[in-house]
Amino acid sequence: MALSLKSVDLSREKMAYLVIPVCEKADDAALAPPLAALVEKARTLNEFKGKKGDCVTFYEPEGLHAARVACSGLGEPDKLDRECLRTMAAGAVKSAMGKKLTTLHIVLPKIKTSPLKPDEILEAIAEGACLANHVFDKYKKEKNQTPLMQIILLATRGEVKKYQTLIDRIAVICEGTRMAREWVSTPSNEKAPGALAAEIASHAKKVGLSIEILTEKELKQKKFGALLAVSNGSDQKPCLVTLMHAPRGAKKTILLVGKGITFDSGGLNLKQGPNMDMMKMDMAGAAAVAATLITAARLRTKINLIGVMPLVENMPSGKACRPGDIIKSLDGKTIEIGNTDAEGRLILADALTWAIARFKPDITLDLATLTGACVAALGERIAGIFTTDDELADLLSTAGQKTHERCWPMPMPDDYREFMKSEVADIRNMSSTSYGGAITAALFLSEFTNNTRWAHIDIAGTAFLKNGGDYCPPGGSGYGVRLLTEAITAWTN
Ligand code: BES
Ligand code: ZN
Ligand code: ZN
């Protein structure tokens, strides 16, 4: 798929579908005359005021070589935000796909009184278009929608020159998001830990990342007791994937850790049907981390980045760990298993212990579909940020606002640690109260971060969109790739 920025002679360019973004009560003087004439005509219609979602289509209008031209409303210019632009562009792409077209042209609007800068407008439109241009139909014989081959943003010659690098960057980031989505949407029978590791490694290799995969045997030798306790019930062997991006001259190191449960049945504390339904998505943290590393390598990000992904399947069997079992984690703490369905924190405990000791990062961020409690607290569109580091909380929530991968800081009250106490072991993987489960899970993880700078992001609600979103097909959302890329960029600069 090609996203491009082009300056054309409007009287000559052949277009199957041209979309003109239009604001309410705005001045159209910046538009080329044949476009301005169309917008003026649209504004005379009762059904078109330029309000968000307003849309009129003209067929083969005069002065253009376009089969269809749509005016698409954005609302009032001074209230314009990035998300509204993404949604508008996504609508244009979906409508073009619905018409079985291969190419879409969108006019890059100049909106004078908008709070957004021209590059921000471009970025949001390009993102919305690129992210919406995705269908997950790998497993269907009959493909009823095909992504567009070309999305062309029409700009002036000056803009084409000025924004070329930005456009390429956006395309790479959106490809990263789509990659994560595909991994999350892939069914668990096709992404057992070994298979997923191989798939991630093949993409990582292409972009020059260093790859290290610890096998089950090595994990046993190194005593990853918590991770192995989860994996024991499954016939699929676990592994720990590490991707490394180490550009010359980089001084700081960011560690990213992603929960990679390739299927979460709950283990012996078997989940009920409806709760188990979507549990192929329980590796979305790992998918986001892998795709972020691949994206960073392609963008030549100037910082050391390490991505660590424990890949494990959580299944019940005669070998599965039981409630009441006491296991020994990699860092030596004993853990009483209160519930085998609280498995994410177990694999993350060992992964965090190992990666923090080995890479001595300046900061660590982990992404995990960790708790249903986080979904209850924040819903399906906002992730939870758990950290005692205000700077990291700010970094992430700011990145979330910009990318619309929203996340909200949650409390980490020290006194809640008492709920994770065990009578018989150093700590328990389940809380003694049924409330505040996202917080107690985060507090559990914090015990394995060795007092280093760390933030945990609970993406249980945001990782998977059963019904899809404005610019996301149903399935994996790719949540985290844009957020992390933005946060890394902001922290690096
Ligand atoms: N993978 C789940 C959390 C989850 C729930 C992700 C809903 C996405 C949507 C996690 O492993 C889990 O089962 N957590 C339990 C913890 C409990 C047993 C302490 C939960 O949230 O119920
Ligand atoms: Zn679980
Ligand atoms: Zn889980």
Side-chain angles (χ1 to χ4, degrees):
M1 198 279 294
L3 174 69
S4 60
L5 199 57
K6 215 168 137 189
S7 152
V8 303
D9 175 350
L10 275 175
S11 64
R12 296 239 173 110
E13 178 86 350
K14 269 203 163 172
M15 296 176 280
Y17 191 25
L18 169 67
V19 172
I20 315 173
V22 177
C23 281
E24 211 173 333
K25 300 180 214 133
D27 146 24
D28 307 315
L31 284 171
L35 304 182
L38 277 180
V39 174
E40 197 185 326
K41 198 163 157 189
R43 289 191 196 280
T44 63
L45 302 171
N46 289 340
E47 68 269 32
F48 190 87
K49 293 284 161 284
K51 284 195 170 43
K52 261 188 214 182
D54 279 3
C55 193
V56 282
T57 306
F58 300 99
Y59 298 90
E60 300 185 348
E62 238 170 273
L64 293 166
H65 262 287
R68 314 160 184 82
V69 180
C71 294
S72 182
L74 289 170
E76 289 173 40
D78 43 336
K79 289 195 188 129
L80 191 69
D81 60 25
R82 292 166 187 268
E83 189 60 3
C84 157
L85 290 163
R86 287 188 197 100
T87 307
M88 179 279 302
V93 168
K94 286 193 279 192
S95 153
M97 279 201 279
K99 296 175 172 54
K100 312 245 181 263
L101 305 178
T102 58
T103 308
L104 166 70
H105 288 74
I106 305 178
V107 173
L108 187 60
K110 285 176 198 49
I111 306 163
K112 272 196 212 134
T113 57
S114 130
L116 298 173
K117 294 197 282 277
D119 59 325
E120 294 172 328
I121 293 177
L122 168 88
E123 192 173 353
I125 291 180
E127 255 177 22
C130 217
L131 290 170
N133 195 32
H134 183 207
V135 217
F136 184 75
D137 57 5
K138 183 156 126 187
Y139 297 92
K140 276 182 180 285
K141 185 152 103 199
E142 205 167 300
K143 320 272 182 199
N144 32 28
Q145 283 217 313
T146 319
L148 306 176
M149 265 147 48
Q150 283 200 66
I151 298 171
I152 300 168
L153 304 185
L154 296 178
T156 63
R157 231 176 267 164
E159 288 167 331
V160 171
K161 234 176 154 176
K162 191 169 171 194
Y163 296 132
Q164 192 52 53
T165 344
L166 179 60
I167 277 284
D168 293 341
R169 181 184 160 86
I170 297 162
V172 167
I173 296 172
C174 293
E175 273 168 40
T177 301
R178 293 203 304 255
M179 188 179 273
R181 287 177 181 175
E182 300 253 333
W183 287 335
V184 174
S185 295
T186 297
S188 298
N189 58 328
E190 296 232 340
K191 61 173 177 198
L196 182 57
E199 162 75 13
I200 289 172
S202 83
H203 284 273
K205 202 170 152 197
K206 282 188 213 149
V207 299
L209 289 165
S210 310
I211 307 159
E212 188 185 282
I213 301 180
L214 295 183
T215 60
E216 180 179 51
K217 195 169 150 205
E218 290 160 321
L219 294 168
K220 278 183 179 157
Q221 278 162 358
K222 292 186 194 304
K223 303 199 160 59
F224 278 66
L227 183 152
L228 290 163
V230 177
S231 153
N232 245 345
S234 170
D235 287 346
Q236 302 295 337
K237 288 195 188 321
C239 61
L240 185 89
V241 180
T242 303
L243 302 180
M244 289 158 283
H245 168 72
R248 196 168 298 156
K251 294 201 176 66
K252 300 268 180 183
T253 301
I254 301 181
L255 167 65
L256 305 177
V257 180
K259 172 176 171 182
I261 293 289
T262 62
F263 186 72
D264 184 10
S265 69
L268 289 178
N269 290 103
L270 199 62
K271 284 183 185 293
Q272 302 277 311
N275 294 334
M276 207 193 294
D277 242 11
M278 298 182 320
M279 281 305 140
K280 66 173 182 184
M281 58 80 105
D282 213 18
M283 39 58 78
V289 167
T292 301
L293 262 285
I294 289 163
T295 301
R298 293 184 66 191
L299 296 176
R300 299 180 196 286
T301 305
K302 289 192 185 63
I303 191 162
N304 294 312
L305 269 185
I306 313 285
V308 172
M309 293 139 272
L311 303 182
V312 180
E313 192 182 44
N314 186 24
M315 295 291 263
S317 80
K319 285 190 287 173
C321 67
R322 297 156 282 254
D325 281 4
I326 299 176
I327 57 172
K328 193 171 203 153
S329 67
L330 179 64
D331 92 331
K333 281 197 250 311
T334 54
I335 305 172
E336 180 191 359
I337 308 285
N339 188 315
T340 62
D341 199 9
E343 83 299 335
R345 63 196 78 182
L346 296 174
I347 67 166
L348 287 171
D350 281 355
L352 286 166
T353 300
W354 178 78
I356 290 172
R358 160 119 187 243
F359 298 106
K360 303 185 175 50
D362 294 284
I363 58 172
T364 301
L365 307 174
D366 84 69
L367 250 77
T369 46
L370 205 63
T371 65
C374 192
V375 194
L378 296 172
E380 292 176 301
R381 296 179 183 185
I382 304 178
I385 304 171
F386 298 83
T387 181
T388 52
D389 188 314
D390 292 344
E391 195 198 317
L392 289 184
D394 266 3
L395 178 78
L396 292 167
S397 37
T398 306
Q401 274 168 33
K402 187 167 170 199
T403 56
H404 205 69
E405 292 197 328
R406 289 170 287 177
C407 44
W408 198 260
M410 302 284 275
M412 291 275 270
D414 251 322
D415 59 319
Y416 280 31
R417 288 183 199 274
E418 75 188 60
F419 303 128
M420 304 307 283
K421 280 195 177 141
S422 163
E423 292 292 335
V424 285
D426 297 329
I427 193 168
R428 222 163 83 102
N429 78 333
M430 207 183 70
S431 170
S432 56
T433 140
S434 35
Y435 303 113
I439 297 173
T440 45
L443 289 169
F444 180 93
L445 293 182
S446 76
E447 297 289 333
F448 299 87
T449 56
N450 203 7
N451 296 315
T452 55
R453 295 189 70 187
W454 156 83
H456 154 64
I457 309 169
D458 194 330
I459 59 169
T462 57
F464 196 87
L465 302 172
K466 213 171 176 176
N467 302 312
D470 286 335
Y471 40 85
C472 182
S477 66
Y479 181 101
V481 178
R482 291 188 305 121
L483 175 77
L484 289 175
T485 304
E486 176 58 33
I488 291 164
T489 310
W491 201 73
T492 308
N493 296 327

